[in-house]
Amino acid sequence: SSGINAEYGRISQALARLRFSEEVNKGDVEEALRLLNESKDVDTVKEATVESERELEEIRDIIIDMINNSDMDSIEIEYLIKRLEEIGHSEEILRKAITTYEKESIWLIDETGKNLILV
């Protein structure tokens, strides 16, 4: 808490100096609060992005393992949806993973749109 107050104080003072003033005014404090809150929002978005990327990678690895551990070179997307939902992944994130890694040529979708084929 005192660290956060010190941060607000330093930023408020820096904003005052930018105005060539030795005194911090209410506007400096409000702007310092706004800037710190913005930076926390950015950090939250970055953390969510990293977590999403980790989940995509986890899904990629699961799919590759499923195909490699079968005697097939492809797998039905509906089957993947069912299996991944059983272990806590949403259909939405699965479809995002399919699109992401199809663009990276890890796999492709067959002409029917129903099967994923490992490249």
Side-chain angles (χ1 to χ4, degrees):
S1 177
S2 65
I4 292 172
N5 289 336
E7 259 185 280
Y8 287 128
R10 284 192 297 275
I11 293 172
S12 298
Q13 290 171 343
L15 290 166
R17 284 193 293 272
L18 285 171
R19 293 184 299 99
F20 302 104
S21 174
E22 293 297 317
E23 293 182 22
V24 173
N25 66 26
K26 182 180 177 185
D28 297 325
V29 173
E30 288 172 351
E31 181 64 2
L33 291 169
R34 187 192 71 75
L35 288 169
L36 283 171
N37 286 331
E38 263 318 293
S39 77
K40 288 176 186 168
D41 290 345
V42 168
D43 288 344
T44 301
V45 169
K46 284 181 184 175
E47 287 171 14
T49 301
V50 167
E51 186 61 33
S52 176
E53 288 173 2
R54 280 191 197 122
E55 187 173 11
L56 289 174
E57 291 168 355
E58 180 182 352
I59 290 170
R60 177 201 62 207
D61 294 345
I62 290 169
I63 293 170
I64 290 170
D65 286 346
M66 289 172 78
I67 293 173
N68 286 338
N69 291 328
S70 73
D71 53 353
M72 308 288 284
D73 62 348
S74 68
I75 195 163
E76 288 183 18
I77 293 173
E78 288 303 314
Y79 174 76
L80 284 174
I81 291 168
K82 183 177 156 186
R83 293 288 297 133
L84 287 164
E85 283 181 336
E86 287 173 1
I87 59 172
H89 297 287
S90 69
E91 180 177 344
E92 178 184 355
I93 194 78
L94 169 62
R95 294 205 181 272
K96 184 175 180 182
I98 289 171
T99 302
T100 299
Y101 295 112
E102 183 177 24
K103 288 177 185 172
E104 292 183 16
S105 300
I106 303 294
W107 51 58
L108 56 91
I109 305 303
D110 73 358
E111 62 279 353
T112 68
K114 294 181 179 184
N115 296 294
L116 185 144
I117 304 165
L118 202 55
V119 175

